[in-house]
């Protein structure tokens, strides 16, 4: 049986320092049937010159956009994905390193899920990463452990308030690509990987591979980076105002998702999302009861404690005013 073509979606912006290493790690993959589709967000450094040098030497690598200003990772990634017609796709950051079996492992898992659940459902598979510094020195052997995120809770309620999926680890199927194309407005949505997570938790399936398949480079120029979790750091840096702002952002993310997808969602999923949004209108005590009853809870005792403190000390009107 012929291996399916995997479209790798790379979004670049002023990535000249690292993009060569990333592209070459893709070229070293044990799985060879791939295309690399690169969309650039009007870089002002040498990124485009570097990318063109690879497109000239490897016909699997395509520069599909270099004159449109997207202004962020999410619109850049999703616009690039709209150019794909493959049955499988992967998101790719410009500054990481893919370990040589990343595509192979990802394809095996998502193919197994499609065989079990069918190709008409949106499906993604994600995996762990090793965290390294600028020079690829190991900082942590597990991104998940470093951030102290749980991966066992696969409920929609949990996904509404905590995203434990990272775009650079995702492989998705054609059905998921179609669902992403239905997103009419990015306003209020936090990031493309969180959107992927909500789609599949609402209407499809997902799986986490407890294996590091790439090196996640931690450096100062990232739009989103990793942050080592500790209880002491959580307590010492606690701010009621910042926490309220976080919960308001998460609520808006849920509202934006529902506005984009309500007509496509199962009734049960719609009810869970509406319940989460309406939770902020409740009294502090009832808000806490609702969170525990319906699973609107983050990973771990420390994060849940922080959530309860914010919920207890915040009237419903304060969330609207943030």
């Amino acid at each position: 049986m012929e291996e399916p073509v995997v479209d790798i979606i790379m979004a670049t912006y002023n990535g000249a320092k690292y993009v060569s290493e990333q592209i070459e790690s893709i070229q070293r993959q044990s799985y060879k049937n791939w295309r690399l589709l690169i969309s650039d967000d009007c870089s002002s450094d040498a990124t485009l010159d570097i990318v063109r040098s690879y497109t000239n030497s490897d016909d699997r690598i395509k520069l599909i956009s270099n004159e449109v200003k997207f202004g962020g990772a999410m619109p850049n990634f999703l616009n690039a994905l709209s150019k794909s017609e493959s049955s499988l796709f992967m998101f790719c950051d410009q500054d990481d390193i893919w370990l040589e079996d990343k595509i192979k492992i990802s394809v095996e898992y998502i193919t197994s899920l499609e065989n079990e659940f069918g190709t008409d459902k949106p499906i993604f598979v994600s995996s762990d990463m090793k965290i390294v510094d600028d020079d690829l020195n190991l900082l942590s052997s597990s991104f998940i452990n470093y951030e102290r995120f749980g991966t066992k809770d696969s409920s929609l309620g949990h996904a509404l308030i905590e995203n434990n999926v990272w775009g650079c680890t995702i492989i998705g199927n054609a059905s998921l690509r179609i669902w992403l194309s239905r997103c009419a407005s990015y306003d209020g949505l936090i990031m493309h990987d969180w959107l992927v997570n909500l789609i599949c938790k609402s209407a499809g399936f997902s799986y986490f591979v407890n294996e590091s398949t790439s090196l996640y480079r931690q450096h100062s120029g990232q739009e989103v980076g990793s942050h080592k979790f500790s209880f002491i750091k959580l307590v010492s840096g606690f701010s009621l105002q910042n926490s309220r702002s976080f919960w308001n952002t998460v609520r808006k993310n849920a509202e934006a998702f529902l506005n984009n997808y309500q007509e496509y969602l199962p009734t049960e999923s719609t009810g869970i999302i509406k319940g989460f949004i309406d939770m902020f209108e409740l009294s502090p005590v009832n808000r806490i009861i609702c969170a525990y009853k319906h699973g609107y809870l983050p990973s771990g005792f420390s994060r849940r404690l922080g959530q309860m403190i914010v919920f207890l000390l915040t009237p419903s009107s304060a969330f609207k005013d943030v």
Side-chain angles (χ1 to χ4, degrees), residues 74 82 91 151 236 288:
M74 183 173 184
S82 71
F91 290 125
T151 58
S236 62
I288 293 174

PDB file of all heavy atoms in Angstrom, residues 74 82 91 151 236 288:
ATOM      1  N   MET A  74      -1.674  32.252  13.652  1.00  0.00           N
ATOM      2  CA  MET A  74      -2.920  31.554  13.364  1.00  0.00           C
ATOM      3  C   MET A  74      -3.423  31.797  11.937  1.00  0.00           C
ATOM      4  O   MET A  74      -3.675  30.843  11.194  1.00  0.00           O
ATOM      5  CB  MET A  74      -3.993  31.922  14.389  1.00  0.00           C
ATOM      6  CG  MET A  74      -5.298  31.180  14.181  1.00  0.00           C
ATOM      7  SD  MET A  74      -6.446  31.512  15.530  1.00  0.00           S
ATOM      8  CE  MET A  74      -7.805  30.457  15.087  1.00  0.00           C
ATOM      9  N   SER A  82      -5.197  26.002   3.753  1.00  0.00           N
ATOM     10  CA  SER A  82      -6.251  26.052   2.739  1.00  0.00           C
ATOM     11  C   SER A  82      -5.726  25.704   1.352  1.00  0.00           C
ATOM     12  O   SER A  82      -6.505  25.392   0.448  1.00  0.00           O
ATOM     13  CB  SER A  82      -6.905  27.436   2.720  1.00  0.00           C
ATOM     14  OG  SER A  82      -6.029  28.418   2.182  1.00  0.00           O
ATOM     15  N   PHE A  91       1.368  20.620  11.124  1.00  0.00           N
ATOM     16  CA  PHE A  91       1.842  21.977  11.317  1.00  0.00           C
ATOM     17  C   PHE A  91       3.317  21.941  11.705  1.00  0.00           C
ATOM     18  O   PHE A  91       3.777  21.011  12.377  1.00  0.00           O
ATOM     19  CB  PHE A  91       1.050  22.679  12.416  1.00  0.00           C
ATOM     20  CG  PHE A  91      -0.373  23.000  12.040  1.00  0.00           C
ATOM     21  CD1 PHE A  91      -1.431  22.562  12.824  1.00  0.00           C
ATOM     22  CD2 PHE A  91      -0.649  23.756  10.905  1.00  0.00           C
ATOM     23  CE1 PHE A  91      -2.746  22.872  12.483  1.00  0.00           C
ATOM     24  CE2 PHE A  91      -1.958  24.062  10.563  1.00  0.00           C
ATOM     25  CZ  PHE A  91      -3.004  23.614  11.348  1.00  0.00           C
ATOM     26  N   THR A 151      -2.435  14.967  30.314  1.00  0.00           N
ATOM     27  CA  THR A 151      -2.814  14.512  28.976  1.00  0.00           C
ATOM     28  C   THR A 151      -3.891  13.432  29.021  1.00  0.00           C
ATOM     29  O   THR A 151      -4.372  12.998  27.977  1.00  0.00           O
ATOM     30  CB  THR A 151      -1.591  13.947  28.233  1.00  0.00           C
ATOM     31  OG1 THR A 151      -1.029  12.860  28.998  1.00  0.00           O
ATOM     32  CG2 THR A 151      -0.534  15.013  28.047  1.00  0.00           C
ATOM     33  N   SER A 236       3.690  33.011  44.023  1.00  0.00           N
ATOM     34  CA  SER A 236       4.410  34.280  44.105  1.00  0.00           C
ATOM     35  C   SER A 236       4.015  35.238  42.988  1.00  0.00           C
ATOM     36  O   SER A 236       4.059  36.456  43.160  1.00  0.00           O
ATOM     37  CB  SER A 236       5.922  34.033  44.059  1.00  0.00           C
ATOM     38  OG  SER A 236       6.294  33.421  42.832  1.00  0.00           O
ATOM     39  N   ILE A 288     -18.242  27.694  41.107  1.00  0.00           N
ATOM     40  CA  ILE A 288     -17.332  26.616  41.510  1.00  0.00           C
ATOM     41  C   ILE A 288     -18.030  25.265  41.424  1.00  0.00           C
ATOM     42  O   ILE A 288     -17.464  24.274  40.936  1.00  0.00           O
ATOM     43  CB  ILE A 288     -16.798  26.867  42.933  1.00  0.00           C
ATOM     44  CG1 ILE A 288     -15.889  28.093  42.937  1.00  0.00           C
ATOM     45  CG2 ILE A 288     -16.061  25.645  43.457  1.00  0.00           C
ATOM     46  CD1 ILE A 288     -15.430  28.516  44.310  1.00  0.00           C
TER      47      ILE A 288
END
